[in-house]
Amino acid sequence: MYRQGDILILPVPEESVPQSVRDLPPAPRDGRGRMVLALGEATGHAHALSAPGSLLRVPDPLAPDHLHLPSGGRLVHEEHAAITLPKGWYRVIRQREYVPGSVRVVAD
């Protein structure tokens, strides 16, 4: 298990990744070629990887994303220490906060 700020990254056994997730189109990379797991709305900072692989997202912002890194990768953010992730599949969960009457993804 890995945590970088408001992002939690959980290793997932390959056989546990649903086919419906595998069939999702990869999320587009940013202008620098990075997979951006979360972008800071206030700061513009990003939790991002520049590595081979794919970030698979469902439209629901509260649902976890999935990340496939066939060769591993290094997760970087301007305000946190970098994290080296081994090759494999991961579930990416953004921290949530309770707002009276609803739940929303934490914005930094």
Side-chain angles (χ1 to χ4, degrees):
M1 180 178 352
Y2 305 89
R3 178 171 288 285
Q4 189 182 67
D6 56 355
I7 299 294
L8 177 65
I9 302 165
L10 302 169
V12 177
E14 185 170 355
E15 61 275 4
S16 297
V17 178
Q19 190 61 45
S20 59
V21 168
R22 294 170 187 265
D23 291 341
L24 290 168
R29 292 177 178 248
D30 72 358
R32 295 167 52 188
R34 305 176 304 169
M35 292 181 283
V36 177
L37 305 185
L39 181 63
E41 293 83 0
T43 63
H45 296 162
H47 299 273
L49 291 124
S50 296
S54 54
L55 177 62
L56 305 168
R57 287 203 155 114
V58 296
D60 179 356
L62 295 177
D65 296 329
H66 283 79
L67 176 64
H68 181 230
L69 297 173
S71 305
R74 187 171 165 86
L75 180 64
V76 297
H77 185 278
E78 292 84 345
E79 297 175 338
H80 302 286
I83 298 172
T84 300
L85 299 171
K87 69 179 181 177
W89 282 90
Y90 298 90
R91 184 173 295 124
V92 180
I93 302 169
R94 291 198 56 191
Q95 185 172 329
R96 299 171 183 107
E97 62 186 348
Y98 174 75
V99 178
S102 68
V103 174
R104 68 178 179 198
V105 172
V106 170
D108 71 9

